Amino acid sequence: MAGLDLIQVQDVIEAYIKAEFPGYAVYDEDVLDDEAILKINGKAKPYMILVWGGLNRSTGNTSFAGTRFDEYNSSLDLVIAAPNSRQARRSINVVRDKLIGWKPVGGGAMTSAGGYATSVINDSAGRPHVYLASCRLEFAVNSSGVGSHITP
């Protein structure tokens, strides 16, 4: 990996999640509308949404070699959509547990950046339709090759 290529690290993380959890559809920052959501017995089939954070420079870990050699980090907001709250919470716990400590190529080990949140989305009649559970994971970016630039 060369340069501060956040997309390359994100692609590695997404591929890992898809390989580890083949039973889930994984969407890269996409949110499905009601018509597109796959349903089982009238309820939403569980799926994941990956929402990526930007490239952030750590002000505490800077380098005398220049800003390209400073420590950078990013984040992943992982969202699980499921037909009930317990399944959403259970799924987010399993996926988060698998990711914490895993180190993607070009990045540092993933760490939890707090707890998780749950919410419900109601259908047009006001009935609970989809339950969401989300958590944030952080990771250092570009542990090698930071002095070079991205080549398109």
Side-chain angles (χ1 to χ4, degrees):
M1 182 167 133
L4 297 171
D5 191 352
L6 184 55
I7 299 294
Q8 191 171 354
V9 177
Q10 291 170 347
D11 289 346
V12 170
I13 294 169
E14 184 174 346
Y16 178 76
I17 290 171
K18 286 179 176 178
E20 291 296 315
F21 300 96
Y24 282 87
V26 178
Y27 299 96
D28 188 351
E29 296 199 352
D30 291 331
V31 178
L32 302 177
D33 61 23
D34 284 350
E35 300 303 318
I37 294 174
L38 299 173
K39 296 185 178 182
I40 300 172
N41 296 329
K43 297 209 177 230
K45 180 178 178 186
Y47 61 93
M48 290 186 217
I49 304 165
L50 309 179
V51 182
W52 302 103
L55 185 66
N56 303 303
R57 181 175 163 261
S58 171
T59 56
N61 293 315
T62 58
S63 171
F64 288 116
T67 58
R68 291 194 65 82
F69 294 89
D70 290 350
E71 180 179 280
Y72 288 85
N73 59 62
S74 189
S75 63
L76 164 64
D77 288 340
L78 177 65
V79 181
I80 302 279
N84 62 62
S85 178
R86 183 169 179 79
Q87 186 174 7
R89 291 186 330 239
R90 177 74 178 140
S91 297
I92 202 83
N93 282 325
V94 169
V95 176
R96 182 178 51 191
D97 181 66
K98 187 73 171 180
L99 291 174
I100 289 175
W102 175 72
K103 185 177 177 184
V105 174
M110 299 192 78
T111 61
S112 178
Y116 65 83
T118 57
S119 58
V120 63
I121 298 173
N122 295 326
D123 64 14
S124 59
R127 292 182 305 261
H129 178 62
V130 175
Y131 291 82
L132 303 176
S134 63
C135 70
R136 176 168 287 178
L137 297 160
E138 292 180 341
F139 52 96
V141 180
N142 290 10
S143 52
S144 63
V146 296
S148 58
H149 295 277
I150 298 170
T151 52

